[in-house]
Amino acid sequence: MRSKSTRTVIGLATAAGLVTAVSIGIAGGASAASGTSEGTMITQPPQGARATVEVTPNPTTQRGQEVTITGSCGGGTGLKSVLGGFPEHPALENIRIVDAGPDRFVAKATVARHIGNGVGPVFVDCGGEAGVTLLVTHV
């Protein structure tokens, strides 16, 4: 029988994998023109999913470590919120938006004290555009 923390890490890794697969499918999917055998690469994600996000340092090494979330809103109005993990299992705490600018945003947060080794999503809402990346923890 697996421990609760092992099941949680596996669950988060599975969820993050699904988020990544969907993001890759949206951002880099190929489509073929009707009646042709050649595909064309989509060069930009669809509207609503154009924000970019990066977490530094990533991977993190300590519970309670401060991380910086940066990115661009990809046409959105500015950074509205950041969610690390899932609402019922947050991976980030004390999230503070430092600069909500639409061209370049900055936020700070701390890795939750209950987080162990694993992978989880970090989502941003940029007022009309959203983005996601993965946060890896080695604590």
Side-chain angles (χ1 to χ4, degrees), residues 55-118:
V55 178
T56 308
N58 193 6
T60 62
T61 58
Q62 298 174 6
R63 294 177 179 107
Q65 180 176 2
E66 184 173 78
V67 294
T68 302
I69 300 108
T70 58
S72 168
C73 286
T77 58
L79 184 62
K80 305 296 181 205
S81 66
V82 176
L83 173 65
F86 298 98
E88 50 290 330
H89 301 289
L92 298 177
E93 299 175 328
N94 193 26
I95 299 169
R96 305 162 314 280
I97 296 174
V98 176
D99 182 357
D103 295 329
R104 176 152 171 78
F105 63 77
V106 178
K108 301 275 187 175
T110 53
V111 177
R113 296 274 178 202
H114 64 272
I115 292 298
N117 295 331

CSV table of all heavy atoms in Angstrom, one decimal, residues 55-118:
chain,number,residue,atom,x,y,z
A,55,VAL,N,8.8,30.1,-13.5
A,55,VAL,CA,9.1,30.1,-12.1
A,55,VAL,C,10.6,30.0,-11.9
A,55,VAL,O,11.2,29.1,-12.5
A,55,VAL,CB,8.3,29.0,-11.3
A,55,VAL,CG1,8.6,29.1,-9.9
A,55,VAL,CG2,6.8,29.1,-11.6
A,56,THR,N,11.2,30.8,-11.1
A,56,THR,CA,12.6,30.8,-10.7
A,56,THR,C,12.8,30.8,-9.2
A,56,THR,O,12.2,31.7,-8.6
A,56,THR,CB,13.3,32.0,-11.4
A,56,THR,OG1,13.0,32.0,-12.8
A,56,THR,CG2,14.8,31.9,-11.3
A,57,PRO,N,13.6,30.0,-8.6
A,57,PRO,CA,14.3,28.9,-9.2
A,57,PRO,C,13.3,27.7,-9.4
A,57,PRO,O,12.4,27.6,-8.7
A,57,PRO,CB,15.3,28.5,-8.1
A,57,PRO,CG,14.7,29.0,-6.8
A,57,PRO,CD,13.9,30.2,-7.2
A,58,ASN,N,13.6,26.9,-10.4
A,58,ASN,CA,12.8,25.8,-10.7
A,58,ASN,C,13.8,24.7,-11.2
A,58,ASN,O,14.4,24.9,-12.3
A,58,ASN,CB,11.8,26.1,-11.7
A,58,ASN,CG,10.7,25.0,-11.9
A,58,ASN,OD1,10.7,24.1,-11.1
A,58,ASN,ND2,9.9,25.2,-12.8
A,59,PRO,N,14.1,23.7,-10.5
A,59,PRO,CA,13.4,23.2,-9.4
A,59,PRO,C,13.7,23.9,-8.1
A,59,PRO,O,14.8,24.5,-8.0
A,59,PRO,CB,13.8,21.7,-9.2
A,59,PRO,CG,15.1,21.7,-9.9
A,59,PRO,CD,15.1,22.7,-11.0
A,60,THR,N,12.8,23.9,-7.1
A,60,THR,CA,13.0,24.5,-5.8
A,60,THR,C,13.7,23.4,-4.9
A,60,THR,O,13.6,22.2,-5.2
A,60,THR,CB,11.7,25.0,-5.2
A,60,THR,OG1,10.9,23.8,-5.0
A,60,THR,CG2,11.1,26.0,-6.0
A,61,THR,N,14.3,23.8,-3.9
A,61,THR,CA,15.0,22.9,-3.0
A,61,THR,C,14.5,22.9,-1.5
A,61,THR,O,14.9,22.0,-0.8
A,61,THR,CB,16.5,23.2,-3.0
A,61,THR,OG1,16.7,24.5,-2.6
A,61,THR,CG2,17.1,23.0,-4.4
A,62,GLN,N,13.7,23.9,-1.1
A,62,GLN,CA,13.4,23.9,0.3
A,62,GLN,C,11.9,24.3,0.4
A,62,GLN,O,11.4,25.2,-0.3
A,62,GLN,CB,14.2,25.0,1.0
A,62,GLN,CG,15.7,24.7,1.0
A,62,GLN,CD,16.4,25.8,1.6
A,62,GLN,OE1,15.9,26.8,2.1
A,62,GLN,NE2,17.8,25.7,1.6
A,63,ARG,N,11.3,23.8,1.4
A,63,ARG,CA,9.9,24.2,1.8
A,63,ARG,C,10.1,25.7,2.3
A,63,ARG,O,11.1,26.0,3.0
A,63,ARG,CB,9.3,23.4,2.9
A,63,ARG,CG,9.1,22.0,2.4
A,63,ARG,CD,8.6,21.1,3.6
A,63,ARG,NE,8.3,19.8,3.2
A,63,ARG,CZ,9.0,18.7,3.5
A,63,ARG,NH1,10.1,18.9,4.2
A,63,ARG,NH2,8.7,17.5,3.1
A,64,GLY,N,9.2,26.5,2.0
A,64,GLY,CA,9.3,27.9,2.5
A,64,GLY,C,10.2,28.8,1.6
A,64,GLY,O,10.3,30.0,1.8
A,65,GLN,N,10.8,28.2,0.6
A,65,GLN,CA,11.7,28.9,-0.3
A,65,GLN,C,10.9,29.9,-1.1
A,65,GLN,O,9.8,29.6,-1.6
A,65,GLN,CB,12.4,28.0,-1.2
A,65,GLN,CG,13.3,28.7,-2.2
A,65,GLN,CD,14.1,27.6,-3.1
A,65,GLN,OE1,13.9,26.4,-3.0
A,65,GLN,NE2,15.0,28.1,-3.9
A,66,GLU,N,11.4,31.2,-1.3
A,66,GLU,CA,10.7,32.1,-2.1
A,66,GLU,C,11.0,31.9,-3.6
A,66,GLU,O,12.2,31.6,-3.9
A,66,GLU,CB,11.1,33.6,-1.8
A,66,GLU,CG,10.3,34.6,-2.6
A,66,GLU,CD,10.6,36.0,-2.1
A,66,GLU,OE1,11.7,36.6,-2.5
A,66,GLU,OE2,9.8,36.6,-1.4
A,67,VAL,N,10.0,32.0,-4.4
A,67,VAL,CA,10.1,31.8,-5.9
A,67,VAL,C,9.6,33.1,-6.5
A,67,VAL,O,8.8,33.8,-5.9
A,67,VAL,CB,9.4,30.6,-6.4
A,67,VAL,CG1,10.1,29.3,-5.9
A,67,VAL,CG2,7.9,30.6,-6.1
A,68,THR,N,10.1,33.3,-7.7
A,68,THR,CA,9.6,34.5,-8.5
A,68,THR,C,8.9,33.9,-9.7
A,68,THR,O,9.4,33.1,-10.4
A,68,THR,CB,10.8,35.3,-9.0
A,68,THR,OG1,11.5,35.8,-7.8
A,68,THR,CG2,10.4,36.6,-9.7
A,69,ILE,N,7.7,34.5,-10.0
A,69,ILE,CA,6.9,34.1,-11.1
A,69,ILE,C,6.9,35.3,-12.1
A,69,ILE,O,6.6,36.4,-11.7
A,69,ILE,CB,5.5,33.8,-10.7
A,69,ILE,CG1,5.5,32.6,-9.7
A,69,ILE,CG2,4.6,33.4,-11.9
A,69,ILE,CD1,5.1,33.0,-8.3
A,70,THR,N,7.4,35.0,-13.3
A,70,THR,CA,7.5,36.1,-14.3
A,70,THR,C,6.9,35.6,-15.6
A,70,THR,O,6.7,34.4,-15.8
A,70,THR,CB,9.0,36.5,-14.6
A,70,THR,OG1,9.7,35.3,-15.1
A,70,THR,CG2,9.7,37.1,-13.4
A,71,GLY,N,6.6,36.6,-16.5
A,71,GLY,CA,6.0,36.2,-17.8
A,71,GLY,C,5.5,37.4,-18.5
A,71,GLY,O,5.7,38.5,-18.1
A,72,SER,N,4.7,37.1,-19.5
A,72,SER,CA,4.0,38.1,-20.3
A,72,SER,C,2.6,37.7,-20.5
A,72,SER,O,2.2,36.5,-20.6
A,72,SER,CB,4.7,38.2,-21.7
A,72,SER,OG,3.9,38.9,-22.6
A,73,CYS,N,1.7,38.6,-20.6
A,73,CYS,CA,0.2,38.4,-20.6
A,73,CYS,C,-0.2,38.0,-22.1
A,73,CYS,O,-1.4,37.7,-22.2
A,73,CYS,CB,-0.6,39.5,-20.0
A,73,CYS,SG,-0.5,39.5,-18.2
A,74,GLY,N,0.6,38.1,-23.1
A,74,GLY,CA,0.2,37.7,-24.4
A,74,GLY,C,-1.0,38.3,-25.0
A,74,GLY,O,-1.8,37.7,-25.6
A,75,GLY,N,-1.2,39.6,-24.6
A,75,GLY,CA,-2.3,40.3,-25.1
A,75,GLY,C,-3.4,40.5,-24.1
A,75,GLY,O,-4.4,41.3,-24.3
A,76,GLY,N,-3.3,39.9,-22.9
A,76,GLY,CA,-4.2,40.1,-21.8
A,76,GLY,C,-4.0,41.5,-21.2
A,76,GLY,O,-3.0,42.2,-21.5
A,77,THR,N,-4.9,41.8,-20.3
A,77,THR,CA,-4.9,43.2,-19.7
A,77,THR,C,-3.9,43.3,-18.6
A,77,THR,O,-3.6,44.5,-18.2
A,77,THR,CB,-6.3,43.5,-19.2
A,77,THR,OG1,-6.7,42.5,-18.2
A,77,THR,CG2,-7.3,43.5,-20.3
A,78,GLY,N,-3.4,42.3,-18.0
A,78,GLY,CA,-2.4,42.4,-16.9
A,78,GLY,C,-2.7,41.2,-16.0
A,78,GLY,O,-3.8,40.6,-15.9
A,79,LEU,N,-1.7,40.9,-15.1
A,79,LEU,CA,-1.8,39.8,-14.2
A,79,LEU,C,-2.8,40.0,-13.2
A,79,LEU,O,-2.8,41.0,-12.4
A,79,LEU,CB,-0.4,39.5,-13.5
A,79,LEU,CG,-0.3,38.3,-12.6
A,79,LEU,CD1,-0.6,37.0,-13.4
A,79,LEU,CD2,1.0,38.3,-11.9
A,80,LYS,N,-3.8,39.1,-13.1
A,80,LYS,CA,-4.9,39.2,-12.1
A,80,LYS,C,-4.7,38.2,-11.0
A,80,LYS,O,-5.0,38.6,-9.8
A,80,LYS,CB,-6.3,38.9,-12.8
A,80,LYS,CG,-6.6,39.7,-14.0
A,80,LYS,CD,-6.7,41.2,-13.7
A,80,LYS,CE,-7.0,42.0,-14.9
A,80,LYS,NZ,-6.6,43.4,-14.8
A,81,SER,N,-4.2,37.0,-11.2
A,81,SER,CA,-4.0,36.1,-10.2
A,81,SER,C,-3.0,35.0,-10.6
A,81,SER,O,-2.8,34.8,-11.8
A,81,SER,CB,-5.3,35.4,-9.8
A,81,SER,OG,-5.8,34.6,-10.8
A,82,VAL,N,-2.5,34.3,-9.5
A,82,VAL,CA,-1.5,33.2,-9.7
A,82,VAL,C,-2.0,32.1,-8.8
A,82,VAL,O,-2.4,32.3,-7.7
A,82,VAL,CB,-0.1,33.6,-9.3
A,82,VAL,CG1,0.9,32.4,-9.3
A,82,VAL,CG2,0.4,34.8,-10.1
A,83,LEU,N,-2.0,30.9,-9.3
A,83,LEU,CA,-2.4,29.7,-8.5
A,83,LEU,C,-1.3,28.7,-8.7
A,83,LEU,O,-1.0,28.3,-9.8
A,83,LEU,CB,-3.7,29.2,-9.0
A,83,LEU,CG,-4.2,27.8,-8.4
A,83,LEU,CD1,-4.5,28.0,-6.9
A,83,LEU,CD2,-5.4,27.3,-9.1
A,84,GLY,N,-0.7,28.3,-7.6
A,84,GLY,CA,0.3,27.2,-7.6
A,84,GLY,C,-0.3,26.0,-7.0
A,84,GLY,O,-0.8,26.0,-5.9
A,85,GLY,N,-0.3,24.9,-7.8
A,85,GLY,CA,-0.9,23.7,-7.3
A,85,GLY,C,-2.4,23.7,-7.6
A,85,GLY,O,-2.8,24.2,-8.7
A,86,PHE,N,-3.2,23.2,-6.7
A,86,PHE,CA,-4.7,23.1,-6.9
A,86,PHE,C,-5.3,23.8,-5.7
A,86,PHE,O,-4.7,23.8,-4.6
A,86,PHE,CB,-5.1,21.7,-7.1
A,86,PHE,CG,-4.5,21.0,-8.3
A,86,PHE,CD1,-3.4,20.2,-8.2
A,86,PHE,CD2,-5.1,21.3,-9.5
A,86,PHE,CE1,-2.9,19.7,-9.3
A,86,PHE,CE2,-4.5,20.7,-10.7
A,86,PHE,CZ,-3.4,19.9,-10.5
A,87,PRO,N,-6.5,24.4,-5.8
A,87,PRO,CA,-7.1,25.1,-4.7
A,87,PRO,C,-7.2,24.3,-3.4
A,87,PRO,O,-6.9,24.8,-2.3
A,87,PRO,CB,-8.5,25.4,-5.2
A,87,PRO,CG,-8.4,25.5,-6.7
A,87,PRO,CD,-7.4,24.4,-7.0
A,88,GLU,N,-7.4,23.0,-3.5
A,88,GLU,CA,-7.5,22.2,-2.2
A,88,GLU,C,-6.1,21.7,-1.8
A,88,GLU,O,-6.0,21.3,-0.6
A,88,GLU,CB,-8.5,21.0,-2.4
A,88,GLU,CG,-8.4,20.1,-3.5
A,88,GLU,CD,-8.8,20.7,-4.9
A,88,GLU,OE1,-9.7,21.5,-5.1
A,88,GLU,OE2,-8.2,20.1,-5.8
A,89,HIS,N,-5.1,21.9,-2.6
A,89,HIS,CA,-3.7,21.5,-2.2
A,89,HIS,C,-2.8,22.5,-2.8
A,89,HIS,O,-2.0,22.2,-3.7
A,89,HIS,CB,-3.4,20.1,-2.8
A,89,HIS,CG,-4.3,19.0,-2.3
A,89,HIS,ND1,-4.3,18.6,-1.0
A,89,HIS,CD2,-5.3,18.3,-2.9
A,89,HIS,CE1,-5.2,17.6,-0.8
A,89,HIS,NE2,-5.8,17.4,-2.0
A,90,PRO,N,-2.7,23.7,-2.3
A,90,PRO,CA,-1.8,24.7,-2.8
A,90,PRO,C,-0.4,24.4,-2.6
A,90,PRO,O,0.1,24.0,-1.6
A,90,PRO,CB,-2.2,26.0,-2.1
A,90,PRO,CG,-2.8,25.5,-0.8
A,90,PRO,CD,-3.5,24.2,-1.1
A,91,ALA,N,0.4,24.6,-3.7
A,91,ALA,CA,1.9,24.4,-3.6
A,91,ALA,C,2.6,25.7,-3.3
A,91,ALA,O,3.7,25.7,-2.8
A,91,ALA,CB,2.4,23.9,-5.0
A,92,LEU,N,1.9,26.8,-3.6
A,92,LEU,CA,2.5,28.2,-3.3
A,92,LEU,C,1.6,28.9,-2.3
A,92,LEU,O,0.4,28.8,-2.4
A,92,LEU,CB,2.6,29.0,-4.6
A,92,LEU,CG,3.5,28.4,-5.7
A,92,LEU,CD1,3.5,29.3,-6.9
A,92,LEU,CD2,4.9,28.3,-5.2
A,93,GLU,N,2.2,29.6,-1.4
A,93,GLU,CA,1.5,30.4,-0.4
A,93,GLU,C,2.1,31.9,-0.5
A,93,GLU,O,3.1,32.1,-1.1
A,93,GLU,CB,1.8,29.9,1.0
A,93,GLU,CG,1.3,28.4,1.2
A,93,GLU,CD,1.7,27.8,2.5
A,93,GLU,OE1,2.8,28.2,3.1
A,93,GLU,OE2,0.9,27.0,3.0
A,94,ASN,N,1.3,32.7,0.2
A,94,ASN,CA,1.8,34.1,0.3
A,94,ASN,C,2.1,34.7,-1.1
A,94,ASN,O,3.2,35.3,-1.3
A,94,ASN,CB,2.9,34.3,1.3
A,94,ASN,CG,3.2,35.7,1.6
A,94,ASN,OD1,2.3,36.6,1.6
A,94,ASN,ND2,4.5,36.0,2.0
A,95,ILE,N,1.2,34.5,-2.0
A,95,ILE,CA,1.4,35.0,-3.4
A,95,ILE,C,1.2,36.5,-3.5
A,95,ILE,O,0.2,37.0,-3.0
A,95,ILE,CB,0.5,34.3,-4.4
A,95,ILE,CG1,0.8,32.8,-4.4
A,95,ILE,CG2,0.7,34.8,-5.8
A,95,ILE,CD1,-0.2,31.9,-5.1
A,96,ARG,N,2.2,37.2,-4.0
A,96,ARG,CA,2.1,38.7,-4.1
A,96,ARG,C,2.4,39.1,-5.5
A,96,ARG,O,3.5,38.8,-6.0
A,96,ARG,CB,3.1,39.3,-3.1
A,96,ARG,CG,3.0,38.8,-1.7
A,96,ARG,CD,4.2,39.1,-0.8
A,96,ARG,NE,5.5,38.8,-1.2
A,96,ARG,CZ,6.1,37.5,-1.2
A,96,ARG,NH1,5.4,36.5,-0.8
A,96,ARG,NH2,7.4,37.4,-1.5
A,97,ILE,N,1.6,39.9,-6.1
A,97,ILE,CA,1.8,40.5,-7.4
A,97,ILE,C,2.6,41.7,-7.2
A,97,ILE,O,2.2,42.7,-6.6
A,97,ILE,CB,0.5,40.7,-8.2
A,97,ILE,CG1,-0.2,39.4,-8.4
A,97,ILE,CG2,0.8,41.5,-9.5
A,97,ILE,CD1,-1.6,39.5,-9.0
A,98,VAL,N,3.9,41.7,-7.7
A,98,VAL,CA,4.8,42.9,-7.6
A,98,VAL,C,4.5,43.9,-8.7
A,98,VAL,O,4.5,45.1,-8.5
A,98,VAL,CB,6.2,42.4,-7.6
A,98,VAL,CG1,7.2,43.6,-7.6
A,98,VAL,CG2,6.5,41.4,-6.4
A,99,ASP,N,4.4,43.3,-10.0
A,99,ASP,CA,4.1,44.2,-11.1
A,99,ASP,C,3.2,43.4,-12.0
A,99,ASP,O,3.5,42.3,-12.5
A,99,ASP,CB,5.5,44.5,-11.9
A,99,ASP,CG,5.3,45.4,-13.1
A,99,ASP,OD1,4.2,45.8,-13.4
A,99,ASP,OD2,6.3,45.7,-13.7
A,100,ALA,N,2.0,44.0,-12.3
A,100,ALA,CA,1.0,43.3,-13.0
A,100,ALA,C,1.0,43.6,-14.5
A,100,ALA,O,0.1,43.3,-15.3
A,100,ALA,CB,-0.4,43.6,-12.5
A,101,GLY,N,2.0,44.4,-15.0
A,101,GLY,CA,2.1,44.8,-16.3
A,101,GLY,C,1.8,43.8,-17.4
A,101,GLY,O,2.2,42.6,-17.3
A,102,PRO,N,1.1,44.2,-18.4
A,102,PRO,CA,0.7,43.2,-19.4
A,102,PRO,C,1.9,42.7,-20.3
A,102,PRO,O,1.9,41.6,-20.7
A,102,PRO,CB,-0.3,43.9,-20.3
A,102,PRO,CG,0.0,45.4,-20.1
A,102,PRO,CD,0.5,45.5,-18.7
A,103,ASP,N,2.9,43.5,-20.5
A,103,ASP,CA,4.0,43.1,-21.3
A,103,ASP,C,5.0,42.3,-20.5
A,103,ASP,O,5.7,41.4,-21.1
A,103,ASP,CB,4.8,44.3,-21.9
A,103,ASP,CG,3.9,45.1,-22.8
A,103,ASP,OD1,3.0,44.4,-23.5
A,103,ASP,OD2,4.0,46.3,-22.9
A,104,ARG,N,5.1,42.5,-19.2
A,104,ARG,CA,6.0,41.7,-18.3
A,104,ARG,C,5.5,41.8,-16.9
A,104,ARG,O,5.4,42.9,-16.4
A,104,ARG,CB,7.4,42.2,-18.4
A,104,ARG,CG,8.4,41.5,-17.4
A,104,ARG,CD,9.8,41.5,-17.9
A,104,ARG,NE,10.7,41.0,-16.9
A,104,ARG,CZ,10.8,39.7,-16.6
A,104,ARG,NH1,10.1,38.8,-17.2
A,104,ARG,NH2,11.7,39.3,-15.7
A,105,PHE,N,5.1,40.7,-16.3
A,105,PHE,CA,4.6,40.7,-15.0
A,105,PHE,C,5.6,40.0,-14.0
A,105,PHE,O,6.4,39.2,-14.5
A,105,PHE,CB,3.2,40.1,-14.8
A,105,PHE,CG,3.2,38.6,-15.2
A,105,PHE,CD1,3.6,37.6,-14.4
A,105,PHE,CD2,2.6,38.2,-16.4
A,105,PHE,CE1,3.5,36.3,-14.7
A,105,PHE,CE2,2.5,36.9,-16.8
A,105,PHE,CZ,3.0,35.9,-16.0
A,106,VAL,N,5.5,40.3,-12.7
A,106,VAL,CA,6.4,39.7,-11.7
A,106,VAL,C,5.5,39.5,-10.5
A,106,VAL,O,4.7,40.4,-10.1
A,106,VAL,CB,7.5,40.7,-11.3
A,106,VAL,CG1,8.4,40.0,-10.2
A,106,VAL,CG2,8.4,41.0,-12.5
A,107,ALA,N,5.6,38.3,-9.9
A,107,ALA,CA,5.0,37.9,-8.7
A,107,ALA,C,5.9,37.2,-7.8
A,107,ALA,O,6.9,36.6,-8.4
A,107,ALA,CB,3.7,37.1,-8.9
A,108,LYS,N,5.7,37.2,-6.5
A,108,LYS,CA,6.6,36.4,-5.6
A,108,LYS,C,5.7,35.5,-4.8
A,108,LYS,O,4.5,35.8,-4.5
A,108,LYS,CB,7.3,37.4,-4.6
A,108,LYS,CG,8.2,38.4,-5.3
A,108,LYS,CD,9.5,37.8,-5.5
A,108,LYS,CE,10.5,38.9,-6.1
A,108,LYS,NZ,11.8,38.4,-6.2
A,109,ALA,N,6.2,34.4,-4.4
A,109,ALA,CA,5.4,33.4,-3.5
A,109,ALA,C,6.4,32.5,-2.8
A,109,ALA,O,7.6,32.5,-3.1
A,109,ALA,CB,4.5,32.5,-4.4
A,110,THR,N,5.9,31.8,-1.8
A,110,THR,CA,6.8,30.9,-1.1
A,110,THR,C,6.2,29.5,-1.3
A,110,THR,O,5.0,29.3,-1.4
A,110,THR,CB,6.8,31.2,0.4
A,110,THR,OG1,5.5,31.3,1.0
A,110,THR,CG2,7.6,32.5,0.7
A,111,VAL,N,7.1,28.5,-1.3
A,111,VAL,CA,6.7,27.1,-1.5
A,111,VAL,C,6.1,26.7,-0.2
A,111,VAL,O,6.6,26.9,0.9
A,111,VAL,CB,7.9,26.2,-1.8
A,111,VAL,CG1,7.5,24.7,-1.9
A,111,VAL,CG2,8.6,26.6,-3.1
A,112,ALA,N,4.9,26.0,-0.3
A,112,ALA,CA,4.1,25.6,0.9
A,112,ALA,C,5.0,24.7,1.8
A,112,ALA,O,5.8,23.9,1.3
A,112,ALA,CB,2.8,24.9,0.5
A,113,ARG,N,4.8,24.8,3.1
A,113,ARG,CA,5.5,24.0,4.1
A,113,ARG,C,5.2,22.5,4.0
A,113,ARG,O,6.0,21.7,4.4
A,113,ARG,CB,5.3,24.5,5.5
A,113,ARG,CG,5.7,25.9,5.7
A,113,ARG,CD,7.2,25.9,6.1
A,113,ARG,NE,7.6,27.3,6.3
A,113,ARG,CZ,8.9,27.6,6.2
A,113,ARG,NH1,9.8,26.6,6.0
A,113,ARG,NH2,9.3,28.8,6.3
A,114,HIS,N,4.0,22.1,3.5
A,114,HIS,CA,3.6,20.7,3.4
A,114,HIS,C,4.0,20.0,2.1
A,114,HIS,O,3.8,18.8,2.0
A,114,HIS,CB,2.1,20.6,3.5
A,114,HIS,CG,1.3,21.3,2.4
A,114,HIS,ND1,1.0,22.6,2.4
A,114,HIS,CD2,0.9,20.8,1.2
A,114,HIS,CE1,0.4,22.9,1.3
A,114,HIS,NE2,0.3,21.8,0.6
A,115,ILE,N,4.7,20.8,1.2
A,115,ILE,CA,5.1,20.2,-0.1
A,115,ILE,C,6.3,19.3,0.0
A,115,ILE,O,7.2,19.6,0.8
A,115,ILE,CB,5.4,21.3,-1.1
A,115,ILE,CG1,4.1,22.1,-1.4
A,115,ILE,CG2,6.1,20.8,-2.4
A,115,ILE,CD1,3.1,21.3,-2.1
A,116,GLY,N,6.2,18.2,-0.7
A,116,GLY,CA,7.4,17.2,-0.7
A,116,GLY,C,8.0,17.3,-2.1
A,116,GLY,O,7.8,18.2,-2.9
A,117,ASN,N,8.6,16.2,-2.5
A,117,ASN,CA,9.2,16.0,-3.8
A,117,ASN,C,8.0,15.8,-4.8
A,117,ASN,O,7.2,15.0,-4.6
A,117,ASN,CB,10.1,14.8,-3.9
A,117,ASN,CG,11.3,15.0,-3.0
A,117,ASN,OD1,11.8,16.2,-2.8
A,117,ASN,ND2,11.9,13.9,-2.5
A,118,GLY,N,8.1,16.5,-5.9
A,118,GLY,CA,7.0,16.3,-6.9
A,118,GLY,C,7.0,17.4,-8.0
A,118,GLY,O,7.9,18.2,-8.1
